[in-house]
Amino acid sequence: MVISYKKLWKLLIDKDMKKKDLQKAAGVSAASITKLAKNEHVNTEIIEKICIALQCDVSDIMEMVCES
């Protein structure tokens, strides 16, 4: 199983935000945004900041998917 952040990118589209906007709103580094874009692991603090900035729940931005 791997973590997918596809929901995050869809949410950004729905909110008419760019990755740079998210970076600024959440106060996270460009490196963290890059890790998210590559579906790499990030600190839960980063996830929390993003959820607060987007006023959403963790399940709104990420999900576990099976690798095939």
Side-chain angles (χ1 to χ4, degrees):
M1 290 231 165
V2 295
I3 294 176
S4 170
Y5 296 102
K6 285 182 181 180
K7 286 182 162 187
L8 171 60
W9 310 127
K10 183 180 181 328
L11 185 59
L12 288 183
I13 290 168
D14 293 345
K15 290 183 176 273
D16 196 28
M17 291 178 74
K18 296 183 182 339
K19 290 178 183 176
K20 196 77 166 171
D21 299 328
L22 174 62
Q23 180 185 339
K24 185 176 179 180
V28 298
S29 69
S32 294
I33 300 295
T34 300
K35 281 185 168 189
L36 291 165
K38 294 179 180 179
N39 288 330
E40 294 178 359
H41 294 284
V42 295
N43 189 316
T44 52
E45 184 179 318
I46 302 298
I47 301 298
E48 180 183 13
K49 287 180 177 182
I50 290 171
C51 287
I52 290 168
L54 297 177
Q55 298 178 339
C56 67
D57 191 61
V58 173
S59 62
D60 296 326
I61 64 168
M62 60 189 283
E63 64 185 340
M64 297 287 289
V65 294
C66 295
E67 288 184 293
S68 45

